[in-house]
Amino acid sequence: LLEKAVKELHDIIEGLRLKSPFDAEELAEDFAQFAKDKLEILLSLTKTDEKRLSQLVEDPWADHDLLNAQDPPIKENGVYKHFILGAGYGGLQYAVRLLEDGIARADEIRLLDAAGGFGGTWYWNRFPGLHCDIESYVYLPLLEETGYIPSKKYAPGHEIRAHAKRIAAKWNLVDKTLFRTDVEEITWDELSELWNIRIKQSRGPLHSPWNFTFQAQYVYLAAGVLTKPQIPDIPGLLSFSGSLFHTARWNYNVTGGSQENQQLFKLNEKRVAIVGTAATSIGVVPEVAKYAGELYVVQRTPAYVKPRNQQPTDPKLFGTQVARKQGWQYERQINLNRFMTNAAAPDEENMVGDGWTDMPAYSAVLGSPSHQVVGSSPDELNHHVDKFHALDLPHMEAVRNRVAQVVKDSKTAEKLKPWFPSWCKRPTFSDTYLESFNLPNVHLLDTGGKGPSEITESGIVIDDKEYPVDIIIFGTGYEPPSSGLGSPAARTNVKIYGCGGESLNDKWLSKGATTFHGYATNGFPNLFFTGINQATITGNNVFMLGLIAEHVAYFVSEAERRVEPGQRAIVEVSKEAEDSHSTEILNRSAFFSPQVGCTPGYFNGYGEASRITDVAEKLKRARGAAWSEGTVSFLRYIQEWRDEGSMKGVSITSAG
Ligand code: FAD
């Protein structure tokens, strides 16, 4: 089967091509070339030795005095039953599932995060204009259980962070969580049959870090996907004498204001450059535009911006229109998913009814049950890609027309029009971003895909012209989740060694993604991870994290149920099971062929797909595809396995 899949993939690669109503083939080639260069010049701020840059990702929010005074919940040489890496919505949902399913008591759980508090993404990111782009009624998890009603259809960042704290408090997790701590290495100890976890805890600028090791029976990696900020390594960057920072650590000392009170009064009279026009900048630009003397928006590729239609929640109507019955949140999440994956029945109610639900061609990213498994002949592939372009054209035309309607200067409007298909980037939503370009102090600097060519002591250079600025803000995103072929170890920045000292990174690098259902791999017992590779991808990430927690909790509860009381369970997926699952994924991977030739971004590892020509290497990447028929179909697939009841493909033994 695997050989057949290899051959089919080879045919797919031969047959791939990009089509667009803009005849964008030439542009796509330029972007592919650009992506090759771009790959070499993106700087990961978490890995650089350059102090001025590494300081940009230090934690500005941690209350070191408060945290240093607390009794640390994880002790040197301690042994814990359930250890969760990450205290964002992924980690929190693992903990809640274990508790709610009766698998663990709160005192058996420990969480840990590099951050100084709960929330993950929503702890680190506090930039002005930050909101969720998925409706908060389906994005914020556990609304029914906590009884919380979000203030707006799209909640602001501080409210989303506060909800994470609410969950931690309700499920008694606050004093079980160690903050400001990096996990550096996780190693399977053959003797004790436990995981050894080596960590480094920062204690603030006045104290040396603590390094120590502890042990855990079960390890859950919930380290997120967009956690390592990056910037382009523009020549002259360090010569800049003004202030620079990344949006992932917004510097309110420079701008004035705070996350709760976004009066950026220190920007008055200042000349500001914002580099990058992806989702973050769509939120930031309108807020900075209100205060800055001059604002230069440096664009590589235009974003596609749909209306947000923000609305406050009316608590009286919430109960009748949204929270209509028990189980409403899951029902609404599934309903949204069906619209996103082009799977809604013609008469199905569109509960969320926003801009995610009117772009069926975006299912080229998410998967869709509305297509057969796509064959690999050039004809079948062309037909498949054509179908998606036909589906996409009216939607993207509407997006482009809206730019022309909103932006008064026609030359600026032309440059702001996204020429690529909808599935090349995550959509953005704003009622004020495009409008900002009508303000006299806001200037679009379009770089035709190249980015700035230089930074000088006093400004930023685009096409040989220098623009003097006082502040440069990078909204240039994060290391892509596909780095290290999407290995859970690479994504977490942790060295992970399983049975016989096997390195998880090496396993991925030699074979590509190799999992059972996406969340566990052979040779790494009692270790689970979140992710989309060989699993499912949804636009609503937090919903997906809940589904993962539910499936993983099933593995653990079965393991606990099947060993004698007092015994320690060891649960491990078999090689055969993961090979068979990998083949299922590979056989379906041609579905995602419309994505080939997209502009660089985190969806495609900043153009990595264009750089790799070796077929075996491409095959490894194809193994990391998601389930091509969308989340509802994937849920059915894993549910059938659970319903069968024998834990087929999984071994459960006792330690010792
Ligand atoms: P995270 O929230 O990223 O949490 C992971 C945590 O793990 C982090 O706090 C990190 O510090 C910690 N960690 C990682 N490695 C280590 C290590 N080695 N040691 C210690 N700690 C470690 N998704 C949506 O669906 N809708 C949205 O509207 C949306 N908006 C977003 C806006 C921004 C600005 C960003 C960056 C992302 C957005 N996302 C959105 C994606 C978002 O990341 C997910 O929705 C979700 O919050 C991820 O939760 P998580 O727990 O998996 O990861």
Side-chain angles (χ1 to χ4, degrees):
L1 269 177
L2 204 64
E3 266 176 29
K4 185 169 165 272
V6 171
K7 192 192 163 308
E8 284 187 355
L9 192 87
H10 189 267
D11 293 343
I12 290 164
I13 290 158
E14 294 303 307
L16 291 178
R17 66 199 178 90
L18 180 114
K19 277 188 139 196
S20 142
F22 278 77
D23 191 19
E25 215 152 333
E26 205 182 305
L27 266 172
E29 275 168 25
D30 287 352
F31 269 101
Q33 183 57 43
F34 166 70
K36 283 185 200 170
D37 305 340
K38 203 73 192 165
L39 265 186
E40 275 133 35
I41 61 166
L42 283 169
L43 260 179
S44 174
L45 294 175
T46 46
K47 290 181 187 152
T48 174
D49 292 329
E50 185 52 62
K51 199 150 176 36
R52 184 173 180 202
L53 298 181
S54 62
Q55 279 173 340
L56 299 182
V57 284
E58 282 174 4
D59 185 345
W61 323 116
D63 184 339
H64 292 295
D65 290 343
L66 184 83
L67 291 166
N68 286 343
Q70 290 171 357
D71 184 26
I74 297 180
K75 306 266 190 325
E76 183 161 15
N77 298 326
V79 181
Y80 306 97
K81 186 151 185 175
H82 302 276
F83 168 66
I84 301 171
L85 192 170
Y89 280 129
L92 286 169
Q93 290 193 92
Y94 271 134
V96 171
R97 218 42 298 137
L98 291 171
L99 292 166
E100 288 288 304
D101 291 358
I103 300 165
R105 300 185 312 266
D107 63 2
E108 293 175 319
I109 296 176
R110 292 294 182 278
L111 294 98
L112 173 154
D113 203 300
F118 290 101
T121 294
W122 307 97
Y123 172 87
W124 294 113
N125 287 275
R126 303 192 186 191
F127 54 81
L130 175 62
H131 293 77
C132 51
D133 65 10
I134 293 283
E135 188 196 65
S136 33
Y137 315 146
V138 289
Y139 181 74
L140 295 191
L142 303 162
L143 288 184
E144 288 185 81
E145 293 80 349
T146 55
Y148 182 68
I149 301 178
S151 67
K152 295 191 168 83
K153 193 165 166 81
Y154 305 95
H158 61 85
E159 185 174 335
I160 304 176
R161 182 158 51 86
H163 187 62
K165 286 203 247 176
R166 179 176 298 113
I167 291 171
K170 179 171 166 71
W171 277 277
N172 237 332
L173 299 167
V174 176
D175 62 353
K176 315 293 182 307
T177 308
L178 185 66
F179 292 118
R180 305 175 300 168
T181 305
D182 282 304
V183 173
E184 298 189 323
E185 195 174 295
I186 302 179
T187 308
W188 179 248
D189 179 26
E190 309 277 355
L191 271 181
S192 62
E193 297 179 280
L194 293 165
W195 288 100
N196 286 339
I197 297 149
R198 185 159 60 74
I199 61 174
K200 177 176 174 183
Q201 190 192 19
S202 140
R203 302 183 42 80
L206 305 176
H207 302 270
S208 306
W210 283 352
N211 297 282
F212 64 84
T213 302
F214 64 94
Q215 291 191 305
Q217 181 180 349
Y218 295 105
V219 171
Y220 311 82
L221 305 177
V225 282
L226 303 173
T227 50
K228 292 179 242 159
Q230 62 182 12
I231 59 171
D233 188 6
I234 304 165
L237 178 67
L238 292 170
S239 68
F240 185 61
S241 62
S243 304
L244 49 91
F245 60 88
H246 191 283
T247 50
R249 309 282 187 277
W250 190 268
N251 193 335
Y252 283 102
N253 291 331
V254 169
T255 64
S258 66
Q259 191 185 23
E260 290 76 14
N261 171 16
Q262 294 176 1
Q263 311 278 319
L264 310 179
F265 60 90
K266 288 192 185 170
L267 293 183
N268 284 340
E269 317 267 307
K270 291 279 192 302
R271 297 158 303 178
V272 181
I274 295 178
V275 182
T277 52
T280 299
S281 297
I282 300 316
V284 166
V285 164
E287 301 308 314
V288 173
K290 286 182 201 161
Y291 297 92
E294 300 295 333
L295 171 58
Y296 298 100
V297 181
V298 182
Q299 171 175 284
R300 191 185 70 187
T301 317
Y304 71 101
V305 189
K306 305 183 69 176
R308 178 185 283 283
N309 294 328
Q310 175 70 293
Q311 290 153 34
T313 306
D314 182 336
K316 287 194 209 102
L317 295 180
F318 189 77
T320 51
Q321 294 185 352
V322 179
R324 296 187 288 208
K325 58 177 185 197
Q326 208 187 352
W328 68 265
Q329 194 179 31
Y330 182 76
E331 185 189 46
R332 198 171 173 95
Q333 288 165 330
I334 290 286
N335 175 268
L336 173 62
N337 194 272
R338 288 172 58 74
F339 277 87
M340 282 178 165
T341 55
N342 194 19
D347 57 349
E348 189 163 339
E349 180 191 6
N350 184 350
M351 294 178 176
V352 173
D354 68 5
W356 283 101
T357 63
D358 65 0
M359 40 189 248
Y362 191 72
S363 59
V365 176
L366 304 178
S368 172
S370 307
H371 302 260
Q372 306 293 320
V373 170
V374 179
S376 59
S377 72
D379 276 354
E380 283 167 294
L381 284 169
N382 286 344
H383 179 62
H384 178 63
V385 176
D386 284 347
K387 261 201 319 203
F388 268 94
H389 277 291
L391 203 57
D392 196 41
L393 188 58
H395 166 253
M396 283 311 272
E397 279 295 276
V399 170
R400 287 186 275 267
N401 289 340
R402 180 165 170 264
V403 180
Q405 281 156 16
V406 173
V407 179
K408 293 192 180 123
D409 177 61
S410 59
K411 280 196 190 136
T412 305
E414 214 45 43
K415 288 181 180 148
L416 285 166
K417 283 185 184 172
W419 53 268
F420 46 84
S422 65
W423 56 79
C424 283
K425 287 188 182 290
R426 191 172 165 102
T428 65
F429 301 89
S430 173
D431 301 328
T432 47
Y433 174 75
L434 292 171
E435 289 75 358
S436 301
F437 292 93
N438 294 331
L439 297 172
N441 62 331
V442 179
H443 317 282
L444 178 69
L445 301 182
D446 180 55
T447 65
K450 295 195 292 288
S453 51
E454 193 186 344
I455 289 180
T456 64
E457 195 189 338
S458 54
I460 188 158
V461 180
I462 315 286
D463 280 340
D464 295 333
K465 181 166 177 202
E466 183 179 358
Y467 296 84
V469 292
D470 306 299
I471 301 165
I472 301 178
I473 302 171
F474 287 100
T476 43
Y478 306 83
E479 265 186 63
S482 58
S483 55
L485 289 175
S487 142
R491 281 193 276 122
T492 45
N493 228 1
V494 177
K495 296 186 186 94
I496 302 178
Y497 302 104
C499 301
E502 184 183 17
S503 147
L504 188 55
N505 262 341
D506 289 351
K507 180 170 182 179
W508 252 244
L509 288 175
S510 68
K511 299 176 85 167
T514 306
T515 74
F516 185 55
H517 297 168
Y519 313 131
T521 190
N522 174 257
F524 296 80
N526 287 4
L527 180 120
F528 304 95
F529 37 85
T530 55
I532 58 168
N533 303 126
Q534 300 201 333
T536 184
I537 175 170
T538 71
N540 181 358
N541 284 295
V542 166
F543 165 57
M544 180 187 78
L545 294 168
L547 301 175
I548 296 172
E550 186 184 325
H551 194 50
V552 166
Y554 174 78
F555 278 74
V556 179
S557 80
E558 284 301 299
E560 292 288 299
R561 203 171 62 79
R562 287 166 195 240
V563 297
E564 295 295 322
Q567 296 279 302
R568 256 194 290 121
I570 299 181
V571 53
E572 182 177 1
V573 303
S574 73
K575 220 183 139 314
E576 295 70 34
E578 66 184 17
D579 280 347
S580 147
H581 180 68
S582 301
T583 305
E584 289 286 345
I585 293 292
L586 257 181
N587 284 342
R588 292 168 160 80
S589 63
F591 172 89
F592 296 103
S593 54
Q595 286 181 43
V596 171
C598 276
T599 59
Y602 71 87
F603 278 9
N604 62 6
Y606 292 87
E608 193 191 45
S610 320
R611 196 173 60 111
I612 308 288
T613 48
D614 182 69
V615 172
E617 284 299 315
K618 283 194 180 259
L619 175 67
K620 283 186 203 167
R621 278 154 186 82
R623 287 173 67 109
W627 186 257
S628 71
E629 287 153 61
T631 302
V632 175
S633 159
F634 181 73
L635 288 180
R636 201 174 309 120
Y637 168 70
I638 58 176
Q639 186 64 51
E640 277 167 14
W641 173 82
R642 289 196 324 226
D643 289 346
E644 192 268 336
S646 71
M647 294 289 280
K648 206 166 151 199
V650 178
S651 81
I652 294 170
T653 52
S654 304

